[in-house]
């Protein structure tokens, strides 16, 4: 028994003295001070203390401690300042490696009561010390993360909340539109990092996701508020409305990143308390960038023009973006597929011809179409920044799908031809154009007869309403793109362009179509970001969209006919419910026969109606 007790006591032998007692003492004081204030930086100090206890060599200054784990620039700077003060008070030759009686020896409870395994107990003690307030042991869990005013996280929460309050809103936002809505609410850019930093205001979104305030779903990513995020964002928006006319209270506390702390006091309580370990941003800028000031000017102009019916239009509907005449330029956008892969020589020839003609073009990924035009805002570069701020881009109503005769033949065979036309119709642009190359001799060596290809081209023009332009080769295609670019530049040169949202306002009204017929271009355009997001081919689809694709797999059932059926029965469930309410088989087979479709309002007919009924109501396999 004595031997066992001796062995047990041997495991608890005292640890050797720390060779850096002053640093240990100062770190312990910093940790205790942070603990009293309820700062999570206390755990960073505790990790630094553990690393210092394990280091067996004396340190001459704090910079040498950078080789240790959990010693960042902030901690080393604080220790160096304390060391210089210590030398001034006690003399430059005062020893710093003698164990001080005031410094707690390593391994004691004072130095290890904040180890990661005992964080819960520390939070409980913290709540008991403060007393009252929010309770005892649950203090740490109930401490709420609230982003600093006009920070990235603050702007994202408020922008998502205001979008969710719009009647009929979709309940989520894509990255590009969220950045555009949140930028006026933030002092830091969401797209361009500060000089010497790799972080933007968008970096704070990861913190919001970790704090379960924002949820990210789908691909492309959709951002929406959780229940906790909605409650917090509502409080932030209410506080913003109460204080919008009064002096702003900024910088209540500075954000301290992991491993660092600024030597200043923190204001306790209130909705402005900042979670000191939850930010990826660093310090916020105090001056707006020119791009942000331009955004604010455009927003003020929108309010001044009386576009919105409420003084705080931004809180209830998206901020319309305006591009005044002379503030934008027309750019031809070329899909990168048109410049790479396949016949490299022929595709490079198109680029060279455009360059030779002096066309201002940009190669990028287009999710639908091969060519289109955007009105890009002219933005002056900011001194000291590598890249100029990103300007607004509004898509003009013209989009081109380019087809060689061999590609046209292949797309008809594999079904891409009809799908591409359907997607072009739904992309939100009102002037789709088919650019067909090599009409004539090339068609005689293809899998389909030339008459079939010519009929498909004519149907595209007459039935689908596309404008079809026939050219002989790549050079003529480049010439047509050049002429169209110059024509559109002249057409829109005196127009004030307004950004609209397809989600909230639809794809345009009949008034705009009438204006275009009179030669006046539509000045209500969608942003390029929204256009490209909406045209993603393999994005997550709604039940209605999947139902439409199912119907279009039936031979003879075109996009117009599928759309007509969807107007009456938007989901398979509603169609099957209608079939169940029919009294007889004959009535079921003729259920869809009188539905009218297209401009001529023709009936679907009994044959197609019977085919749809057999597809969805036949038990077992179809014969």
């Amino acid at each position: 028994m004595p031997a066992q007790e001796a062995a047990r006591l041997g495991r608890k032998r005292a640890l050797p003295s720390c060779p850096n007692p002053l640093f240990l003492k100062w770190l312990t004081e910093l940790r205790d001070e942070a603990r009293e204030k309820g700062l999570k930086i206390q755990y960073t100090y505790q990790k630094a203390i553990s690393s210092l206890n394990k280091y067996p060599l004396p340190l001459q200054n704090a910079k040498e401690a950078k080789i240790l784990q959990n010693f960042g620039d902030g901690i080393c700077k604080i220790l160096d300042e304390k060391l210089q003060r210590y030398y001034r008070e006690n003399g430059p030759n005062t020893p710093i490696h003698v164990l001080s009686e005031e410094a707690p020896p390593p391994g004691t409870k004072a130095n290890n009561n904040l180890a990661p395994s005992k964080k819960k107990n520390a939070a409980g003690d913290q709540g008991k010390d403060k007393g009252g307030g929010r309770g005892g042991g649950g203090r740490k869990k109930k401490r709420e993360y609230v982003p600093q005013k006009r920070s990235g996280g603050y702007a994202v929460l408020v922008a998502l909340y205001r979008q969710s309050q719009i009647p009929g809103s979709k309940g989520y936002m894509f990255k590009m539109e969220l950045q555009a809505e949140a930028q006026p609410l933030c002092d830091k850019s969401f797209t361009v990092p500060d000089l010497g930093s790799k972080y933007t205001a968008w970096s704070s979104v990861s913190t919001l996701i970790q704090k379960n305030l924002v949820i990210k779903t789908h691909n492309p990513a959709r951002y929406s508020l959780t229940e906790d995020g909605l409650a917090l964002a509502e409080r932030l928006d209410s506080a913003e409305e109460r204080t919008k006319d009064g002096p702003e209270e900024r910088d209540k506390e500075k954000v301290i990143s992991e491993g660092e702390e600024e030597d200043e006091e923190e204001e306790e309580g209130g909705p402005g308390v900042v979670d000191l370990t939850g930010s990826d941003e660093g310090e916020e800028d105090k001056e707006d960038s020119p791009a942000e000031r331009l955004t604010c000017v455009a927003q003020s102009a929108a309010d001044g023009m009386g576009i919105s019916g409420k003084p705080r239009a931004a809180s209830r509907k998206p901020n319309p973006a305006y591009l005044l005449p002379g503030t934008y330029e027309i750019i031809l956008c070329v899909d990168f597929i048109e410049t790479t892969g396949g016949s490299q020589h022929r595709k490079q020839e198109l680029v060279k011809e455009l360059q030779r003609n002096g066309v201002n073009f940009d190669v990028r990924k287009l999710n639908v179409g091969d060519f289109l035009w955007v009105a890009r805002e002219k933005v002056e570069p900011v001194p000291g920044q590598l890249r100029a701020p990103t300007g607004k881009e509004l898509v003009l109503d013209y989009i081109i799908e380019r087809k060689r005769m061999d590609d046209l033949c292949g797309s008809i065979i594999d079904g891409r031809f009809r799908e591409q036309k359907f997607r072009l119709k739904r992309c939100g642009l009102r002037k789709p154009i088919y650019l067909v190359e090599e009409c004539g001799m090339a068609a005689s060596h293809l899998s389909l007869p030339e008459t079939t290809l010519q009929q498909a081209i004519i149907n595209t023009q007459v039935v689908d309403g596309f404008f079809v332009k026939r050219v002989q080769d790549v050079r003529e295609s480049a010439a047509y793109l050049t002429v169209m670019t110059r024509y559109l530049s002249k057409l829109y040169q005196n127009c004030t362009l307004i950004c609209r949202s397809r989600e909230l306002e639809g794809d345009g009204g009949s008034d705009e179509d009438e204006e275009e017929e009179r030669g006046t271009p539509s000045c209500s355009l969608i942003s390029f970001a929204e256009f490209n997001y909406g045209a993603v081919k393999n994005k997550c689809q709604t039940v209605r969209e999947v139902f439409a694709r199912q119907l279009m797999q039936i031979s003879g059932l075109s996009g117009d006919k599928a759309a007509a059926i969807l107007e009456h029965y938007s989901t398979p469930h509603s169609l099957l419910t209608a079939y169940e309410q029919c009294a007889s088989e004959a009535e079921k087979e003729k259920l869809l026969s009188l539905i009218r479709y297209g401009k001529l309002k023709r009936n679907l007919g009994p044959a197609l109606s019977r085919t749809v009924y057999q597809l969805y109501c036949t038990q077992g396999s179809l014969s």
Side-chain angles (χ1 to χ4, degrees):
M1 186 69 179
Q4 293 178 354
E5 185 175 355
R8 182 173 59 83
L9 293 176
R11 294 191 188 97
K12 291 187 177 182
R13 65 184 180 275
L15 296 175
S17 300
C18 177
N20 302 286
L22 275 180
F23 289 162
L24 182 63
K25 171 190 172 184
W26 292 333
L27 284 175
T28 304
E29 291 173 353
L30 290 171
R31 183 203 63 193
D32 293 341
E33 183 181 352
R35 177 185 171 186
E36 291 175 0
K37 294 182 178 180
L39 305 181
K40 291 186 178 180
I41 196 69
Q42 58 183 307
Y43 303 119
T44 302
Y45 287 133
Q46 179 58 43
K47 293 177 183 177
I49 291 172
S50 301
S51 298
L52 188 61
N53 280 327
K54 296 175 184 177
Y55 191 64
L57 301 178
L59 299 171
Q60 299 302 324
N61 53 61
K63 290 183 180 179
E64 295 181 3
K66 280 191 176 181
I67 62 174
L68 303 181
Q69 243 183 338
N70 304 300
F71 275 80
D73 292 336
I75 290 180
C76 291
K77 181 180 178 181
I78 294 173
L79 292 179
D80 262 336
E81 290 175 354
K82 288 181 176 291
L83 182 60
Q84 295 302 323
R85 193 181 306 124
Y86 179 79
Y87 280 142
R88 287 195 300 268
E89 294 174 355
N90 300 282
N93 298 324
T94 305
I96 62 173
H97 301 121
V98 179
L99 184 63
S100 172
E101 296 180 358
E102 298 178 0
T108 61
K109 185 177 180 180
N111 274 334
N112 292 288
N113 62 352
L114 286 179
S117 61
K118 298 183 179 181
K119 283 183 181 178
K120 185 178 293 187
N121 294 338
D125 296 340
Q126 171 184 321
K128 292 177 182 178
D129 291 343
K130 293 198 173 184
R134 299 182 183 178
R139 168 74 181 182
K140 178 178 178 293
K141 290 187 177 179
K142 291 186 178 181
R143 180 175 175 82
E144 187 178 19
Y145 166 78
V146 180
Q148 186 179 10
K149 188 172 182 180
R150 296 197 66 81
S151 66
Y154 172 89
V156 168
L157 288 176
V158 174
L160 285 172
Y161 172 74
R162 292 176 178 177
Q163 195 275 343
S164 68
Q165 299 305 301
I166 301 173
S169 70
K170 54 183 182 269
Y172 61 85
M173 297 182 77
F174 292 115
K175 178 179 178 179
M176 296 297 292
E177 60 178 326
L178 178 55
Q179 288 179 338
E181 295 298 323
Q183 186 60 78
L185 302 169
C186 181
D187 291 334
K188 195 173 183 180
S189 173
F190 274 88
T191 56
V192 181
D194 297 332
L195 189 63
S197 172
K198 64 179 181 179
Y199 296 111
T200 65
W202 184 254
S203 303
S204 60
V205 173
S206 60
T207 302
L208 298 179
I209 295 175
Q210 292 173 2
K211 299 293 182 182
N212 197 31
L213 300 175
V214 172
I215 185 171
K216 175 183 175 183
T217 58
H218 295 82
N219 185 21
R222 300 177 180 181
Y223 298 89
S224 56
L225 292 173
T226 62
E227 292 184 2
D228 295 339
L230 185 64
L232 175 58
E234 184 177 6
R235 296 207 317 269
L236 294 177
D237 188 55
S238 300
E240 172 79 13
E241 291 184 357
R242 288 196 303 268
T243 61
K244 64 180 179 179
D245 296 328
E248 296 182 352
E249 299 179 4
R250 297 189 182 179
D251 300 330
K252 280 193 173 181
E253 297 173 352
K254 288 188 177 180
V255 178
I256 300 179
S257 58
E258 183 176 354
E260 298 182 9
E261 181 188 27
E262 298 294 333
D263 192 14
E264 67 177 85
E265 295 183 357
E266 177 197 67
E267 295 181 19
E268 289 289 326
V273 178
V274 181
D275 187 337
L276 297 178
T277 61
S279 175
D280 298 323
E281 299 175 34
E283 294 185 359
E284 301 289 341
D285 292 336
K286 295 184 179 180
E287 294 183 3
D288 293 338
S289 66
E292 295 166 357
R293 287 196 296 269
L294 185 59
T295 304
C296 296
V297 169
Q299 181 178 352
S300 302
D303 295 338
M305 293 173 66
I307 300 299
S308 58
K310 298 182 181 180
R312 290 260 319 183
S315 64
R316 295 295 176 259
K317 63 186 299 184
N319 297 329
Y322 293 86
L323 294 181
L324 301 176
T327 63
Y328 60 87
E329 56 184 343
I330 304 301
I331 306 292
L332 170 65
C333 295
V334 182
D335 187 18
F336 77 100
I337 297 297
E338 294 298 308
T339 62
T340 59
S343 178
Q344 190 72 17
H345 171 72
R346 184 168 59 246
K347 293 189 175 183
Q348 287 301 319
E349 185 180 353
L350 173 66
V351 174
K352 292 178 181 178
E353 284 294 324
L354 291 175
Q355 292 173 343
R356 190 178 297 115
N357 295 339
V359 177
N360 193 4
F361 69 94
D362 184 23
V363 178
R364 61 179 70 178
K365 177 177 174 57
L366 302 179
N367 291 324
V368 64
D370 297 321
F371 306 94
L372 56 82
W373 288 266
V374 297
R376 179 191 292 171
E377 180 184 15
K378 298 178 182 178
V379 180
E380 294 295 331
V382 179
Q385 290 190 358
L386 180 62
R387 300 180 182 87
T390 305
K392 303 182 186 72
E393 288 186 337
L394 303 183
V395 185
L396 306 187
D397 275 327
Y398 295 81
I399 183 170
I400 292 180
E401 178 72 25
R402 177 188 175 203
K403 288 289 184 187
R404 284 172 46 88
M405 293 300 285
D406 53 355
D407 186 25
L408 176 63
C409 176
S411 63
I412 292 175
I413 293 174
D414 61 21
R416 287 184 294 115
F417 183 60
R418 186 171 63 170
E419 183 202 15
Q420 286 173 345
K421 290 194 296 183
F422 182 71
R423 292 178 63 216
L424 282 171
K425 286 181 178 180
R426 298 192 56 193
C427 72
L429 306 185
R430 305 180 183 91
K431 298 290 185 179
I433 300 172
Y434 249 80
L435 183 61
V436 183
E437 286 185 10
E438 294 184 359
C439 302
M441 294 295 295
S444 59
H445 305 288
L446 301 176
S447 303
L448 296 177
E450 183 179 358
T451 54
T452 302
L453 299 178
Q454 296 296 342
Q455 186 63 53
I457 295 172
I458 293 173
N459 288 343
T460 300
Q461 184 170 10
V462 176
V463 178
D464 298 310
F466 288 22
F467 178 80
V468 176
K469 175 65 178 178
R470 303 187 187 214
V471 295
Q472 291 299 321
D473 52 24
V474 176
R475 296 187 63 181
E476 288 193 12
S477 295
Y480 178 70
L481 294 172
T482 303
V483 172
M484 279 294 296
T485 303
R486 293 170 181 168
Y487 165 74
L488 293 175
S489 298
K490 184 177 180 180
L491 184 65
Y492 283 89
Q493 65 182 356
N494 296 322
C495 297
T496 298
L497 306 182
I498 304 172
C499 181
R500 65 182 173 88
S501 173
R502 291 183 62 200
E503 295 286 348
L504 302 178
E505 301 175 13
D507 293 339
S510 57
D511 295 339
E512 293 176 345
D513 295 336
E514 292 175 2
E515 288 180 0
E516 292 178 4
E517 291 177 0
R518 294 195 299 266
T520 304
S522 172
C523 297
S524 178
L525 309 175
I526 61 177
S527 67
F528 177 80
E530 182 179 0
F531 162 80
N532 226 23
Y533 272 127
V536 174
K537 184 176 182 179
N538 295 322
K539 65 180 179 180
C540 297
Q541 298 175 328
T542 63
V543 176
R544 179 186 177 92
E545 292 171 337
V546 174
F547 187 31
R549 294 175 71 92
Q550 287 180 350
L551 292 174
M552 290 179 62
Q553 301 307 309
I554 301 175
S555 178
L557 209 158
S558 63
D560 291 338
K561 295 177 181 178
I565 294 177
L566 289 176
E567 289 181 1
H568 294 79
Y569 309 102
S570 58
T571 63
H573 179 267
S574 60
L575 179 61
L576 293 175
T577 302
Y579 281 134
E580 292 176 356
Q581 294 175 354
C582 294
S584 62
E585 288 293 317
E587 186 178 352
K588 293 179 180 180
E589 291 182 356
K590 296 180 181 180
L591 178 66
L592 307 178
S593 60
L594 298 180
I595 293 179
R596 299 182 180 275
Y597 71 94
K599 296 181 179 179
L600 300 179
K601 299 300 179 183
R602 294 178 177 174
N603 294 336
L604 286 180
L608 200 55
S609 176
R610 186 184 311 110
T611 302
V612 175
Y613 166 68
Q614 292 174 350
L615 174 65
Y616 284 96
C617 295
T618 300
Q619 300 294 332
S621 59
L622 297 176
S623 56

